[in-house]
């Protein structure tokens, strides 16, 4: 129409095609995963001769994003990377050279991504706790204990192993008893032998009265369901009573078994 002002329609914003959006998401995830899995020294441009320190793991939120909805797969990938970290090009790192605080963080991230997974706790209790360094070994045992408390019925086997490490390798009977007590009181579905570990810790500490009370409590409460285990404990109780009545046996004040 003559004399009318032409109207201008602002251009419509068009969303990027779906394949392109997916490609961008995949690229972001790949970049996050790449930075997570790269040794710290490589990113910093260190030479191959220098052993890079174990980098801290990515925050859990970033790992979940990088997993693209497959956290279990990423958990396993983290464990593969962690266990290959000590095999650097041209050299093999001793476990005691690793930063065990960061190592524990990696294992915890793997468990956060896969709470039902057992491998991180197996690695902590049976692999990394075997380091020839008592302080680092204790860090791994502490990790196993913390994670046990989050899921006692599923994770008791690793705390049972931690109790044995504390007793036989670290010679720390109070720590072994602490772990064994946690199994007895919280892992109600653990087998009989695991819930009897506290008895042996008490015997090692010469807490004979407490050991006898504990055996009596286990037998009378019905927690021991296997007849063979019950007979074993009954025989153990009789042996403890004979030992306690023998002259020259120290009888420290027995604490209450809780």
């Amino acid at each position: 129409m003559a004399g009318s002002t032409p109207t201008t329609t602002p251009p419509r914003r068009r969303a990027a095609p779906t394949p392109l959006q997916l490609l961008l998401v995949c690229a972001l995830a790949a970049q996050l995963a790449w930075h997570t899995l790269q040794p710290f020294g490589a990113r910093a441009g260190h030479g191959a001769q220098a052993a890079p320190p174990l980098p801290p793991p990515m925050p859990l939120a970033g790992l979940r994003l990088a997993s693209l909805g497959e956290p279990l797969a990423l958990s396993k990938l983290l464990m593969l990377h962690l266990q290959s970290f000590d095999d650097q090009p041209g050299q093999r790192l001793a476990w005691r050279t690793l930063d065990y605080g960061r190592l524990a963080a990696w294992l915890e991230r793997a468990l956060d991504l896969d709470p039902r997974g057992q491998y991180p706790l197996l690695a902590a209790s049976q692999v990394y706790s075997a380091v020839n360094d008592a302080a680092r070994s204790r860090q791994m045992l502490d990790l196993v204990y913390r994670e046990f408390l989050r899921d006692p019925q599923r994770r008791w086997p690793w705390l049972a192993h931690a109790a044995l490490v504390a007793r036989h390798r670290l010679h720390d009977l109070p720590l072994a008893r602490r772990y064994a007590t946690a199994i007895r009181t919280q892992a109600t579905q653990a087998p009989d032998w695991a819930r009897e570990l506290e008895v042996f810790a008490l015997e090692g500490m010469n807490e004979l009265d407490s050991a006898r009370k504990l055996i009596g409590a286990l037998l009378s409460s019905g927690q021991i369901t296997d007849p063979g285990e019950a007979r074993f404990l009954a025989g153990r109780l009789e042996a403890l009573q004979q030992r306690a009545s023998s002259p020259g046996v120290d009888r420290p004040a027995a604490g209450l078994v809780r």
Side-chain angles (χ1 to χ4, degrees), residues 184 188-192 195-196 214-227 229-230 233:
R184 177 177 63 82
T188 55
Q189 298 176 18
D192 296 344
R195 284 181 289 162
E196 296 165 10
L214 177 58
I215 292 176
L218 288 171
L219 291 174
S220 62
S221 65
Q223 295 182 53
I224 305 302
T225 57
D226 182 85
E229 290 290 337
L233 281 182

Side-chain angles (χ1 to χ4, degrees), residues 1 5 35 86 91 96 111-112 143 147 154 173 183 189 199 206-207 237 241 244 250 252:
M1 180 180 294
T5 302
H35 280 279
D86 54 314
Q91 58 183 322
R96 64 178 178 275
L111 283 171
D112 288 337
L143 166 68
E147 294 297 336
R154 191 185 306 279
L173 285 171
I183 294 172
Q189 298 176 18
V199 171
N206 206 28
E207 295 278 0
L237 179 60
Q241 289 172 336
D250 294 334

Side-chain angles (χ1 to χ4, degrees), residues 171-209:
H171 306 290
D172 188 338
L173 285 171
L175 184 63
R177 184 191 176 187
R178 180 187 179 196
Y179 295 160
T181 302
I183 294 172
R184 177 177 63 82
T185 58
Q186 301 193 46
T188 55
Q189 298 176 18
D192 296 344
W193 67 263
R195 284 181 289 162
E196 296 165 10
L197 287 176
E198 187 180 359
V199 171
F200 301 101
L202 288 169
E203 285 188 52
M205 297 168 69
N206 206 28
E207 295 278 0
L208 303 186
D209 286 345

Side-chain angles (χ1 to χ4, degrees), residues 32-38 54-64 66-67 70-86 102-114 119-120 123 128:
L32 290 172
W34 174 258
H35 280 279
T36 299
L37 300 178
Q38 286 304 297
L54 182 65
M58 280 184 62
L60 182 59
L63 288 173
R64 290 194 187 282
S67 72
E70 297 291 344
L72 306 188
L74 183 57
S75 174
K76 291 177 173 54
L77 191 59
L78 290 183
M79 289 304 301
L80 286 175
H81 173 70
L82 183 60
Q83 291 211 273
S84 63
F85 187 83
D86 54 314
R102 291 182 175 181
L103 175 63
W106 276 83
L107 295 171
E108 288 172 335
R109 290 287 192 279
L111 283 171
D112 288 337
L113 291 170
D114 182 10
Y119 192 64
Y128 294 114

